[in-house]
Amino acid sequence: MLTKVYSAAINGIDAFPVTIETAMDKGVGFSIVGMADQAVRESYQRIASAIQYSGFTFPHFRTTVNLSPADERKEGASFDLPIAIGLLTASQMIKCDSLEDYMMMGELSLDGSVMPVKGALPMAIKAREMGFKKLVVPEANVTEAAVVNKIEVYGVSSLAQVAALLSGAESLEPVRINTRELFTREFEEFDFDFSEVKGQESVKRAFEVACAGGHNILMVGPPGAGKSMMAKRLPSILPPLSMAEALETTKIHSVAGKLSRGSMLMTTRPFRTPHHTVSPVALVGGGTNPMPGEISLAHNGVLFLDEFPEFPRHVLEVMRQPIEDRVITVARAKYTVNYPASFMLVASMNPCPCGYYGHPTKACSCTPAQVGKYMNKISGPLLDRIDIQVEIEPVAFDDMADRSPAESSASIRARVLAARQIQQERYKDLPGIHCNAQMNSRLLHEYAWPDAEGLARLKERMTRLNMSARAFDRILRVARTIADLDGSARVASHHIAEAIGYRSLDRASYGKVF
C-alpha cells in the first residue's frame, strides 16, 4: 500500500514542502531515499522503538520511504513523526480519511515522545501558504507555530497521541494566539537606562542619531570611559519591532534553534555580542549543516563588537559585503543559502594598545608605529562602511559626582520614534527601504542633497581629509537623519557639519584637533 504524509524542510530561513511517500510490499527490508542526511537515515531505529512503545507492532514488509522532492537536501530529525505515521497508515494500523489536510513534523524519542524541532515557525508559514488546514507540531513548539493564523495548530507530546488524533479516537483543541493583542501590550521594560550614564552628552547624541537612522557606529576611547556601558543601553532607545520584522526575526531564531520553550513572537530587537574569538563561519553562517550566523541572528537588531581590533582581520572583512547588501549568501559545494543580515553594527575600541593615546591626564606608552599598527587592524573599506565614528573622553569627576539623573531613555526614544515615523512615511512606497541607512544613491540625490552652503562645506572637508566616495554617501545619510531629528525637510549646512563631525577616523592625523 502507498500513503503520503506531508511535512517541510528548511532552506535558509524559509521552508519548502516535503512529501513522505511510504510504499509497502511483500518481502523484508527498509530504505529511505530522497537526499536524506545521516540524521534522517538513522531514524529507522528511533521510529521502530517509538512504534513499539506506543502500543503498535512495527510492520515487517519491504518498505521504501521517499522524501520528495528527491533533489533537495533533507536534514535533521524532524521527519521522524511523519515517517512513523506513514508506516502506520501504510500498514493500516491506523486509518485516517483526511491525511491530506495535515502537515506534521517532530523528532521521536525511543519511548514514543515527540521532541522539539528547529524551524517550526517557517514550517507553519509554509503550511498556510500550501493550503493545509491542520498542523501537528511538538508540544514544545506549539506557541511558536500558533502565531501563524488561518491554520489549526496542534501541539502533541507522543506518537500515540498523534495516532489517536488522526484516527478520531481523541480530540485536541488547536492552540490559538492573538498576535495583534501581543503587539498592543506594553512594550518591554529595560534593565539599563541612559539616565544612569553621567556626562558623555556628545556620545549620547551620536547614539540618538544612529538609532534614528539605523546607522552603524564606532566608539573610540580609553578603558573605563563608558563604551560598553552605553552600548548595553542602546536597545532602550531603539524603535520597537513591527509585525513583519518580528516574524522575520523570529523565523531566523527558530531555524537556529535559539528560541526558548514556549516562545512566541520576538517583540524585542536582538542584541548579539559575539566574543572576539568567533570564527568566520559562526559570524556569517554556514557549516556542515547550514545555520544562520551572528550577523543574521542580529537581523533587525544590533551586533555589538567590543574590542573591535581584537577580532581577527579576516573575520571582520567578511562583514563588508553584508553591511552593504544587508544579506549574506553562503555558497558551498553542496548548498547555497541566503540569510538576511540587516543589522546595526555597534563597535568599540581603544585608541592604541595601551588604551591611553590622546588621554587628557594619562600618558600613552605606545610608539607611533604601535598606534598606527593597532589602528590598521581595521581596514579602510570597513571603516568607510561605519557611518558614525566618535571619540569618547573620560568622564569628568564633577559629572560622576552629580547625583541628579541624566536624560532618560524614554525621552531619547521619543525623538528617535518621531524621526523614524518621518522616514516610514518617506519610504512607504519603496519596498526594502525603512530607514535612512538603507538609502541608495538615487534616494540620496532625491532626499538628502544639501543646500549650496552645505555642499560647499562638504566639498572643503572632503578635499582636506581626502575622503572616499563611500564616505560622501555616508555623510549625506547621517545628515538626512539629523535633519529628520530637527523636523527639517531640507538638509542644511549645520546638519552637514554635525555629520562630518561623526567621521573622526577619517582625519589625516587621528587624535589631533584639526
Side-chain angles (χ1 to χ4, degrees):
M1 183 176 179
L2 174 67
T3 61
K4 294 184 179 181
V5 181
Y6 301 96
S7 186
I10 298 296
N11 182 25
I13 65 165
D14 296 313
F16 63 91
V18 175
T19 303
I20 290 114
E21 301 173 317
T22 306
M24 288 187 177
D25 205 347
K26 294 180 179 179
V28 178
F30 183 90
S31 60
I32 296 178
V33 298
M35 281 192 73
D37 74 345
Q38 186 66 25
V40 181
R41 292 195 297 269
E42 290 176 349
S43 63
Y44 172 80
Q45 285 80 9
R46 294 191 297 271
I47 293 170
S49 176
I51 287 177
Q52 179 180 348
Y53 278 91
S54 299
F56 300 100
T57 302
F58 189 84
H60 295 288
F61 297 97
R62 182 163 60 86
T63 304
T64 302
V65 177
N66 177 43
L67 307 182
S68 176
D71 59 348
E72 291 281 356
R73 182 178 173 86
K74 323 298 186 311
E75 298 175 343
S78 62
F79 299 107
D80 289 2
L81 178 60
I83 291 175
I85 294 300
L87 293 173
L88 293 176
T89 53
S91 60
Q92 298 186 343
M93 278 184 268
I94 61 173
K95 294 182 179 180
C96 178
D97 298 328
S98 57
L99 200 58
E100 68 278 359
D101 293 338
Y102 289 86
M103 179 181 279
M104 60 185 69
M105 71 258 343
E107 177 184 346
L108 289 178
S109 179
L110 296 182
D111 63 356
S113 301
V114 181
M115 310 297 289
V117 298
K118 298 177 181 178
L121 178 58
M123 291 179 185
I125 294 173
K126 178 55 66 174
R128 183 180 63 181
E129 290 177 359
M130 298 294 295
F132 288 96
K133 298 177 182 178
K134 302 175 182 180
L135 178 68
V136 177
V137 298
E139 196 171 37
N141 297 117
V142 67
T143 52
E144 173 189 342
V147 300
V148 180
N149 53 20
K150 298 181 182 178
I151 186 172
E152 296 180 2
V153 180
Y154 298 90
V156 295
S157 58
S158 67
L159 175 60
Q161 188 179 23
V162 179
L165 173 67
L166 295 176
S167 62
E170 181 179 341
S171 61
L172 288 176
E173 284 295 321
V175 176
R176 294 181 176 88
I177 294 175
N178 190 332
T179 54
R180 297 294 174 184
E181 181 183 350
L182 178 67
F183 264 74
T184 56
R185 295 176 188 169
E186 187 68 23
F187 280 106
E188 66 275 2
E189 294 183 1
F190 298 96
D191 297 329
F192 305 106
D193 196 280
F194 270 100
S195 62
E196 303 156 353
V197 180
K198 304 298 183 181
Q200 305 292 11
E201 298 304 323
S202 62
V203 184
K204 292 179 186 177
R205 169 66 176 177
F207 270 117
E208 180 181 335
V209 174
C211 292
H215 303 289
N216 302 322
I217 182 171
L218 170 64
M219 299 172 285
V220 184
K227 301 185 294 296
S228 299
M229 178 185 184
M230 283 185 282
K232 291 177 181 178
R233 284 154 179 76
L234 188 67
S236 66
I237 62 173
L238 283 169
L241 286 168
S242 65
M243 178 65 75
E245 287 176 327
L247 275 172
E248 189 175 33
T249 305
T250 308
K251 278 173 61 178
I252 298 170
H253 287 251
S254 173
V255 169
K258 301 296 183 181
L259 294 180
S260 58
R261 180 168 182 160
S263 295
M264 292 181 282
L265 277 179
M266 294 178 63
T267 57
T268 60
R269 293 187 180 273
F271 186 84
R272 305 294 299 182
T273 58
H275 191 260
H276 59 74
T277 57
V278 66
S279 68
V281 171
L283 189 65
V284 304
T288 304
N289 297 320
M291 283 291 165
E294 288 291 339
I295 63 173
S296 295
L297 293 172
H299 181 66
N300 291 325
V302 175
L303 179 69
F304 177 46
L305 302 183
D306 201 5
E307 304 296 343
F308 203 34
E310 300 304 323
F311 286 79
R313 183 161 179 158
H314 70 281
V315 173
L316 294 179
E317 292 304 298
V318 299
M319 293 196 302
R320 284 163 54 176
Q321 179 264 333
I323 288 175
E324 200 76 16
D325 298 340
R326 298 184 180 271
V327 65
I328 178 68
T329 300
V330 181
R332 299 292 184 267
K334 295 184 179 180
Y335 65 84
T336 299
V337 294
N338 294 315
Y339 294 121
S342 181
F343 59 92
M344 180 178 165
L345 174 63
V346 179
S348 67
M349 61 182 288
N350 295 329
C352 66
C354 78
Y356 296 108
Y357 178 73
H359 196 283
T361 59
K362 294 185 179 182
C364 174
S365 61
C366 304
T367 65
Q370 288 176 319
V371 175
K373 182 178 179 181
Y374 186 78
M375 296 303 299
N376 286 336
K377 288 183 177 182
I378 313 300
S379 70
L382 183 57
L383 282 177
D384 266 355
R385 288 167 167 82
I386 300 178
D387 304 355
I388 298 176
Q389 306 157 5
V390 292
E391 294 180 70
I392 299 181
E393 297 292 335
V395 182
F397 177 81
D398 290 341
D399 289 330
M400 289 188 289
D402 186 1
R403 300 184 64 182
S404 59
E407 186 178 25
S408 68
S409 292
S411 299
I412 301 173
R413 193 185 203 197
R415 296 194 294 270
V416 169
L417 288 174
R420 281 293 183 105
Q421 288 172 356
I422 293 172
Q423 294 165 52
Q424 288 175 5
E425 181 64 24
R426 179 184 299 137
Y427 309 126
K428 63 181 179 180
D429 297 325
L430 300 171
I433 307 293
H434 306 290
C435 60
N436 290 332
Q438 298 171 336
M439 282 194 292
N440 55 34
S441 297
R442 180 182 65 81
L443 295 177
L444 284 174
H445 282 269
E446 184 175 353
Y447 296 116
W449 204 252
D451 56 24
E453 183 181 351
L455 194 61
R457 183 191 291 266
L458 181 55
K459 178 181 178 181
E460 187 273 329
R461 289 302 172 92
M462 287 201 66
T463 303
R464 181 199 289 189
L465 302 179
N466 195 26
M467 293 181 179
S468 68
R470 184 178 285 114
F472 174 81
D473 287 353
R474 300 285 172 177
I475 290 172
L476 290 184
R477 289 188 180 100
V478 174
R480 178 65 266 174
T481 300
I482 296 170
D484 288 340
L485 286 168
D486 282 351
S488 173
R490 297 286 298 171
V491 175
S493 177
H494 64 280
H495 300 141
I496 292 290
E498 184 177 350
I500 292 172
Y502 293 137
R503 302 294 301 182
S504 294
L505 299 188
D506 286 331
R507 300 178 183 180
S509 178
Y510 169 72
K512 296 181 180 179
V513 178
F514 63 97

